Amino acid sequence: MTDNFHAGPCPGCRQGRLFLYRNAVTGTVYGHCEECEWGYASPDRLAAKDGFLTLLEEEDAEPASEEDIRRSAWANGRIFVAHE
Ligand SMILES: [Zn+2]
């Protein structure tokens, strides 16, 4: 069982949760919707509903660890843990 971190519901589709991934090349942590594949680069971008399509990032992405999140723009946001 792995713990995956997410930032709550996606503002785009309102169906999926925004799981946090780390881009292994750039080190950026972003929220990725499990349903509509849109991503948000930071809580500010999320609040502004300014997303990007994540499909091009996927091969370089891995689930963000607690440490990754603590060092990212998401550190001050609300983070939830999904046990899956
Ligand atoms: Zn979505």
Side-chain angles (χ1 to χ4, degrees):
M1 187 174 76
T2 23
D3 287 346
N4 291 294
F5 300 98
H6 70 86
C10 171
C13 66
R14 301 178 189 278
Q15 303 279 329
R17 294 163 293 177
L18 290 168
F19 279 93
L20 293 172
Y21 284 84
R22 177 176 166 276
N23 182 310
V25 175
T26 63
T28 307
V29 175
Y30 62 95
H32 176 177
C33 177
E34 62 188 330
E35 293 291 338
C36 70
E37 310 289 344
W38 277 80
Y40 297 89
S42 69
D44 288 349
R45 298 292 87 202
L46 177 59
K49 297 186 183 177
D50 180 12
F52 64 92
L53 203 49
T54 56
L55 296 175
L56 295 175
E57 299 229 6
E58 287 199 325
E59 65 187 54
D60 295 323
E62 53 195 37
S65 69
E66 206 168 351
E67 181 66 26
D68 293 333
I69 294 166
R70 207 169 19 236
R71 285 181 297 182
S72 77
W74 299 89
N76 298 320
R78 273 206 303 163
I79 300 299
F80 306 88
V81 181
H83 303 282
E84 294 183 344

